[in-house]
Each structure stands twice: as C-alpha cells, then as structure tokens.
Amino acid sequence: MQFKPELAEKILKGEKTQTRRIVKPGFWLVTYPDGHKAVIDANDGRIKWKTGPTYAIQPGTGKASIGRFKLLDIRQERLRGISEADAIAEGVELNHYYCDEGTSLDPTPTH
C-alpha cells in the first residue's frame, strides 16, 4: 500500500497502527464464515484488500517497499465518525482543536 513518506516512517516506528481508505462505489465489504474480511470489486470479483496477508509499505508512488504490515481487520465507517483514539492510531499528532459543534477536545491521549 502506498503512504506518504512521513506516514510510512510512522508505521515502521509503531506510531501509526490504522489507516483509512476510500472504498469507491462498486466495492463490497465481505465477511467470510471463518471471520476473515475482504473488500471485493463487485464488477470482476477481484479482492482489493483482505485480512491475513502482509502488504508492502511504499513511501510514495513507484517507490521501493520499506517494510511490510499485516492487515488484521477491516471495518466500514463514516470518516466524520473517527474517534480521537482512532485519529491517534492513524498517526495524527493532535493539537488543540474544536469539533463542528464547538466542543473543545483535550489533545492529550488517554490510553
């Protein structure tokens, strides 16, 4: 999978343990009886991502792999529904910020 170079480095350091990808229309999230999950292209049945195998960490388009990671889970959610803990797992460095409703969020991780 391709990542910005700074995010690829965070993966290697263990500072980024989640990633989000846009799933375009025509792709489906499938859960198999054994619990594995996959995102499948409904047009041709090809698997885009699936839990279990390892994927290369590429720090940009056409760049050589700098490591590998194992995809442990896939879940579908709205981007605006991201929690503060998930943002931290994404490698975001929190500064003091405000939600749309104007609620102040504490930038200090609580885990």
Side-chain angles (χ1 to χ4, degrees):
M1 270 186 204
Q2 295 178 17
F3 297 90
K4 293 179 180 178
E6 61 273 14
L7 295 179
E9 289 298 324
K10 285 186 175 196
I11 293 169
L12 294 177
K13 292 178 186 176
E15 297 171 0
K16 178 175 173 54
T17 58
Q18 290 185 19
T19 193
R20 280 166 170 67
R21 295 289 190 254
I22 294 174
V23 178
K24 298 176 184 174
F27 285 84
W28 300 96
L29 175 60
V30 176
T31 302
Y32 296 100
D34 66 0
H36 281 82
K37 297 178 183 179
V39 173
I40 297 176
D41 185 336
N43 295 317
D44 60 16
R46 289 185 8 209
I47 294 173
K48 185 157 180 99
W49 304 297
K50 67 180 180 177
T51 56
T54 61
Y55 290 86
I57 301 167
Q58 290 181 270
T61 305
K63 303 288 184 181
S65 169
I66 60 170
R68 298 190 72 79
F69 71 94
K70 187 173 187 174
L71 186 56
L72 300 176
D73 193 17
I74 301 172
R75 62 182 190 248
Q76 186 175 357
E77 61 189 20
R78 293 190 175 276
L79 182 60
R80 292 185 60 124
I82 191 170
S83 69
E84 187 173 341
D86 283 343
I88 292 166
E90 283 273 355
V92 172
E93 294 177 16
L94 296 181
N95 295 317
H96 193 74
Y97 60 94
Y98 293 86
C99 295
D100 289 331
E101 296 82 24
T103 305
S104 176
L105 297 178
D106 182 355
T108 308
T110 58
H111 50 83

